[in-house]
Amino acid sequence: MNNYEAIMVDGVCIECGNSQHDGLSCYEQFGYPLAWEHDDPELYEVHFWLVSCYMIQHPSVFTEEGYRHLIELFVEAYDQDWDAAYTLKKNRELIKKISKITNPVSSQNRVRERKDWVLTIGDIYVGGKANAMMNIKRWKDCVRNEVKNG
């Protein structure tokens, strides 16, 4: 992700509320399951959910329009039980209608609001590769429930 940096204050992300683990910020923790996917094709099947959950919990990455698109795509894919290939196809179609997706403001100067989520990337990281599939699916369910309830 270009031009993005997690801001941790006293060991806690100021956007998602995730705690540092092993001295790693939430963004650094996010890199681990992304790497795990390369060795595990089954785990790669939930790539969209991994990335979407993380991004939904870090809205400063997006413009308002880009964030709204992400939420709508996530909800539609979840509620309609789309497979990964169809979700990516729909994303490519819909993204053409958006003028700017990512926030052009430098990472350090973005407005960030704290929201504490039931599960965060820390739960995936701490659970390790062996539990990643199960934990990403749990995370997806929690994020969907929290997005639905506003």
Side-chain angles (χ1 to χ4, degrees):
M1 233 180 334
N2 292 335
N3 191 25
Y4 179 74
E5 170 183 343
I7 307 294
M8 307 292 282
V9 174
D10 297 325
V12 176
C13 176
I14 65 171
E15 269 190 288
C16 73
N18 179 53
S19 296
Q20 278 183 323
H21 297 285
D22 301 325
L24 301 173
S25 70
C26 56
Y27 183 64
E28 292 165 326
Q29 292 169 44
F30 178 54
Y32 279 78
L34 291 173
W36 300 335
E37 292 175 345
H38 292 285
D39 297 329
D40 187 342
E42 187 176 311
L43 188 56
Y44 188 74
E45 285 296 311
V46 294
H47 175 80
F48 170 78
W49 301 113
L50 168 68
V51 173
S52 295
C53 288
Y54 183 83
M55 294 301 173
I56 286 170
Q57 293 180 348
H58 296 86
S60 73
V61 171
F62 300 95
T63 61
E64 285 184 36
E65 184 180 27
Y67 189 71
R68 195 169 38 254
H69 163 73
L70 173 61
I71 296 291
E72 289 170 3
L73 181 67
F74 180 92
V75 167
E76 189 82 9
Y78 185 97
D79 291 354
Q80 301 301 318
D81 197 27
W82 292 346
D83 66 25
Y86 187 74
T87 302
L88 296 176
K89 177 182 178 269
K90 288 298 283 185
N91 185 49
R92 284 189 299 275
E93 290 171 7
L94 296 170
I95 215 161
K96 294 175 187 173
K97 301 174 184 174
I98 299 173
S99 59
K100 182 74 175 156
I101 294 171
T102 57
N103 190 340
V105 176
S106 70
S107 186
Q108 290 292 333
N109 295 321
R110 292 179 185 164
V111 174
R112 299 172 196 244
E113 293 182 29
R114 171 79 172 266
K115 176 175 174 13
D116 291 316
W117 297 82
V118 172
L119 294 176
T120 66
I121 190 62
D123 297 287
I124 310 307
Y125 173 78
V126 169
K129 183 178 179 181
N131 297 306
M133 177 70 81
M134 174 187 65
N135 287 336
I136 291 168
K137 288 178 178 178
R138 283 181 49 234
W139 193 20
K140 169 185 81 166
D141 294 341
C142 285
V143 168
R144 176 61 184 101
N145 192 43
E146 290 180 72
V147 166
K148 177 173 36 181
N149 296 327

